[in-house]
Amino acid sequence: MSSAVRIRPVWAINTASGSPLPARLLELLVQVQACGSLQAASTVLGLSYRHAWDLLRQGESLLGGPLLSMARGKGSSLTPLGAKLVWAQRRIEARLGPLLETLANELSAELSAELAPSLHGAAPALRLHASHGFAIEALLAALSAQGVALEHRYASTVAAAAALQEGHADIAGLHLPEGALEAVARARYAPWLGETQAAQPGWQMIHIARRRQGLMLPPGNPLGLSALIDLARTGLRFINRQADSGTRLLLEGLLAQQGLSGAQIRGFEQSEFTHAAVAAYVASGMADAGFGLETAARQFKLDFIPLASERYFLVCRPATLQHPTVQALRLSLQEPALREQLNALPGYQAEGRET
């Protein structure tokens, strides 16, 4: 049974009078920013131009200020107030999207378990716990399109490794930096996975892709940052990933190589749970720099300075390789369409080999 539960983040603003903003106003503003005109945004959302205009005017009346700036022949652009609303929406989606998807899959799995007695021959879906990334999103979408059931939960690399070792997951998604820091990462996961090598009995690795991580910076790099040492500048605001994430481990290793520590960086303990949330934080002007995947930086039109390459892979026991779901997964990784999709992600290179 594929995921039957979908959860989307929805938030609302009540004005001083207690009146809420129109339900679809935020959607409209997001599309105006993407399309560059109110007419195009209306078409994308399936609204009449008149209805879109009414939503806009209601919102402006309730908030007491303009949301759009319109010029004949130049389309529409958001005012500072409109832009703040859009960035709030994008930050919420980036921060909560994977968490809500995980919750939806957990609820769907519970529903499947309840229905199992009436589903003759239905086998429980394999459980995948994986650190969040764009390649794993593409792979999961490809499997879903094939009708392949896979119960998945986004988790930090440490949590995914622990879940696999403790039997709460059948497959774990992890990432290892290339170069000297690979040994540091392996040591971090050793309590749960040992060396995660082919020679280590009990574990099999399926490589998905290589990817780049680095500094995410506002467009044009206004502070002229070029290296990690620049993060220690007085007054610079930084946004990090959470403490048990593989990305945080990578950054701490890179800093240690240069004789730096997180204590020297303002905001080092301020964290977000996804790469997209870090990028949205920087793009909205709340931080001067972040660290994460190039794909997220490009999605939010940020500058990016690559600092490290790593491999994203899945870990499972050899016996799990024979499961029909894993066989379908391995075949998908060899499909030209999926490989092309992965290679199109900024900073990604498809692999799909096994060790």
Side-chain angles (χ1 to χ4, degrees), residues 177-182 184 228 250-261 307-308:
E178 296 184 301
L181 290 178
E182 180 176 347
V184 176
L228 286 178
L250 171 61
L251 175 58
E252 290 173 346
L254 291 171
L255 290 171
Q257 284 182 334
Q258 299 186 31
L260 301 170
S261 73
L307 295 176

Side-chain angles (χ1 to χ4, degrees), residues 280-305:
Y281 204 95
V282 175
S284 63
M286 299 178 67
D288 302 305
F291 185 85
L293 288 174
E294 181 175 355
T295 305
R298 303 305 185 194
Q299 283 186 350
F300 283 84
K301 296 180 171 56
L302 299 175
D303 282 12
F304 180 79
I305 298 177

